[in-house]
Amino acid sequence: MSETPALDQLERRVLVHFGELSLKGQNRPNYVQRLRTNVQQRLQAAGFEVPVRSAYDRLFVEAGVMPAADMERLLACLDEVPGISWYTPAWWIDRAQMGLETGMLELDLLDQAVQELAAPAWREGARFAIRVKRGNKGFPMRSIDLERHLGGVVLKNTDWSRVSLTEPDFRILLDVVNHGTYLYTERRKGMGGLPLGMTGRVLTLLSGGFDSPVAAWLMAKRGCEVDFIHFTANHMQQKQAESYKVARIVQRLSRVLGRTRLHLVPYTHFDLALMEQQVPYDLILFRRFMARCAQRLAADWGAQVLVTGDNLGQVASQTMENMVSMTRSVEIPVLRPLLTYEKEEIIDLSRRLALFETCKEPYKDCCALISHSPKTRSRHDKLEAIEARCFEDYNALIENSLAEATTLRYRYGQLEENE
Ligand code: ATP
Ligand code: MG
């Protein structure tokens, strides 16, 4: 038999709060609506068909009666939705369950539920508090009286013996509203940021390393829709591509990103052109090639900017000058959200996103293939001259490369069929 028979009868509801959104003035209804849709879709993708309602300053997920394990799975989904600053997993006692429809206040179920919450939380020496907020002034008991009553229930029926209203180690909170009462013990921190889809679309240049996936995640956290382009040494068939390291990274990220695409572009044409010319080249020519292909794809996919995982001075190739040379090779802006991060911070984030193990796998980065000793300085005009010499027709180079690309599509962690 269940150890929480009273709690098991209660509907689960999650209050979702959105911090920064409250600043957005006129735009606010859009933001709330967007977050509501995003939460709904994220939950649906995980198999939860539950209503998500919006109020002025929060959302409500009405999960119904649900086993604890399912509830934890639902809450884990909320951890992956940008724009949630914190959320409160609560139990809901309907006014009818407290006899209020008949006018006879009936506290047995509430007493029992509070007891079931308090009992397992007991620790030697710890102090507890019960706190009641009464939005419904018609409720037939004053907040302070309800607090005392429930405190008494806990003292009498559990191991708890110490109360502290000012510095409790454990709290049970009640929100009494018109239609019933929310009961909860904790608030959990969400990922913060802004709802996906509020701030534009970006195309991320994704490598097999640690940095670019974290850069993509940071952009999504700020509300951007994110797609990816990755350059590979060879042309790739769809099936082969699916198990590829970068594909697995994108699949993982798509749990936060929602719908996302990965375009795998072979750089064989670039390689061949340079080989024929027998030009000594370094990484920066390749970076400029990647940026130009990405710019072309961004136009097709509706991305306003490119994003890279560049980090100032982290490796020899990432000098200010090289970044400038790359930026100047295209018209589309290039954003570098990790520019000033410490490597430690990036690795930490990578762990938090459960990407560390995948990113750590050995991977023959094309950059490792191409450049043995990257030049740390490069001038745009000099590079343009080299490019004019080496590549007869740069547009054709871009088009030919993109023509051999393979696209994978993901949605909330799942590979989608190509149409
Ligand atoms: P990362 O950890 O993201 O690989 P890094 O510090 O290793 O970054 P580089 O490998 O020099 O640095 O790459 C810098 C940036 O260039 C990457 O963050 C990524 O945005 C882009 N990039 C590098 N290689 C590729 C590739 N094969 N395809 C697409 N983008 C790439
Ligand atoms: Mg790399």
Side-chain angles (χ1 to χ4, degrees), residues 16 35-37 39-41 43 50-54 59-62:
V16 176
L35 185 63
R36 195 187 77 77
T37 309
V39 168
Q40 185 98 63
Q41 288 181 353
L43 293 178
V50 296
V52 180
R53 301 185 203 291
S54 52
L59 301 180
F60 300 85
V61 180
E62 300 187 359

Side-chain angles (χ1 to χ4, degrees), residues 204-217 228-231 244-250 253 287 290 308-311 314-315 318 338 343 346-347 349-351 353-368:
T204 298
L205 284 90
L206 185 70
S207 71
F210 286 102
D211 302 340
S212 37
V214 172
W217 178 82
F228 297 92
I229 185 168
H230 173 72
F231 295 83
Y244 203 53
K245 178 179 177 181
V246 288
R248 283 180 284 122
I249 292 173
V250 172
L253 281 168
R287 289 284 195 84
M290 290 198 293
T308 75
D310 283 317
N311 187 238
Q314 191 189 80
V315 293
Q318 296 190 9
L338 296 179
K343 194 70 185 176
I346 298 170
I347 298 289
L349 278 170
S350 175
R351 277 189 216 282
L353 304 178
L355 281 171
F356 182 79
E357 292 304 323
T358 311
C359 292
K360 202 175 69 175
E361 289 172 25
Y363 182 70
K364 270 215 196 84
D365 197 46
C366 43
C367 303

Side-chain angles (χ1 to χ4, degrees), residues 33 48 70 111 124 194 265 271 288 335 355 377 389:
Q33 210 31 256
F48 295 105
D70 286 349
D111 290 353
E124 186 71 53
L194 298 169
V265 182
D271 251 1
R288 287 158 64 92
L335 300 184
L355 281 171
R377 293 170 163 274
R389 247 190 311 122

Side-chain angles (χ1 to χ4, degrees), residues 88-389:
T88 310
W91 285 263
W92 170 253
I93 307 189
D94 199 80
R95 51 183 274 121
Q97 288 173 299
M98 289 204 273
L100 289 175
E101 294 297 338
T102 60
M104 284 287 290
L105 183 63
E106 173 51 73
L107 290 176
D108 283 359
L109 185 62
L110 178 62
D111 290 353
Q112 183 63 33
V114 164
Q115 206 173 302
E116 289 170 16
L117 285 175
W122 178 81
R123 301 284 172 274
E124 186 71 53
R127 295 173 298 178
F128 80 97
I130 309 253
R131 282 293 155 122
V132 175
K133 254 200 315 199
R134 198 166 55 130
N136 171 14
K137 298 297 175 204
F139 190 79
M141 225 172 152
R142 289 190 310 160
S143 302
I144 178 95
D145 295 332
L146 188 55
E147 285 174 358
R148 286 196 185 128
H149 165 78
L150 293 172
V153 167
V154 171
L155 289 169
K156 179 158 168 259
N157 299 301
T158 70
D159 295 334
W160 287 98
S161 60
R162 303 178 68 198
V163 173
S164 167
L165 297 185
T166 46
E167 284 176 83
D169 303 292
F170 175 69
R171 292 192 309 169
I172 294 180
L173 300 137
L174 285 86
D175 259 353
V176 182
V177 297
N178 285 341
H179 298 286
T181 296
Y182 290 97
L183 183 64
Y184 52 95
T185 59
E186 57 167 346
R187 260 182 177 202
R188 300 191 194 176
K189 211 167 154 34
M191 69 182 274
L194 298 169
L196 217 58
M198 287 313 295
T199 51
R201 181 180 289 281
V202 306
L203 180 62
T204 298
L205 284 90
L206 185 70
S207 71
F210 286 102
D211 302 340
S212 37
V214 172
W217 178 82
L218 285 171
M219 295 307 289
K221 187 177 178 218
R222 290 317 294 175
C224 292
E225 289 174 292
V226 182
D227 289 311
F228 297 92
I229 185 168
H230 173 72
F231 295 83
T232 57
N234 299 304
H235 170 70
M236 249 196 232
Q237 302 297 335
Q238 161 103 17
K239 272 284 156 244
Q240 176 195 10
E242 287 169 14
S243 57
Y244 203 53
K245 178 179 177 181
V246 288
R248 283 180 284 122
I249 292 173
V250 172
Q251 179 162 17
R252 168 73 211 162
L253 281 168
S254 75
R255 291 162 55 137
V256 171
L257 272 37
R259 226 180 252 287
T260 185
R261 295 168 283 192
L262 166 63
H263 212 47
L264 292 155
V265 182
Y267 56 85
T268 35
H269 292 281
F270 174 84
D271 251 1
L272 283 175
L274 289 182
M275 221 179 277
E276 276 167 14
Q277 300 290 325
Q278 303 203 324
V279 184
Y281 56 86
D282 68 86
L283 200 53
I284 189 62
L285 288 180
F286 182 62
R287 289 284 195 84
R288 287 158 64 92
F289 163 74
M290 290 198 293
R292 286 171 176 137
C293 290
Q295 167 170 260
R296 175 75 185 76
L297 181 65
D300 278 359
W301 282 7
Q304 296 152 288
V305 300
L306 303 182
V307 169
T308 75
D310 283 317
N311 187 238
L312 189 57
Q314 191 189 80
V315 293
S317 62
Q318 296 190 9
T319 59
M320 192 72 91
E321 254 144 330
N322 280 353
M323 284 186 220
V324 170
S325 306
M326 175 183 177
T327 301
R328 290 194 64 190
S329 69
V330 286
E331 276 158 36
I332 188 169
V334 182
L335 300 184
R336 298 176 169 89
L338 296 179
L339 190 73
T340 62
Y341 276 49
E342 305 284 322
K343 194 70 185 176
E344 272 303 304
E345 295 175 79
I346 298 170
I347 298 289
D348 270 2
L349 278 170
S350 175
R351 277 189 216 282
R352 269 180 40 201
L353 304 178
L355 281 171
F356 182 79
E357 292 304 323
T358 311
C359 292
K360 202 175 69 175
E361 289 172 25
Y363 182 70
K364 270 215 196 84
D365 197 46
C366 43
C367 303
L369 295 177
I370 284 187
S371 177
H372 302 291
S373 56
K375 294 210 184 81
T376 47
R377 293 170 163 274
S378 48
R379 293 260 316 279
H380 178 70
D381 40 1
K382 234 168 70 189
L383 290 165
E384 275 201 321
I386 299 175
E387 284 163 350
R389 247 190 311 122

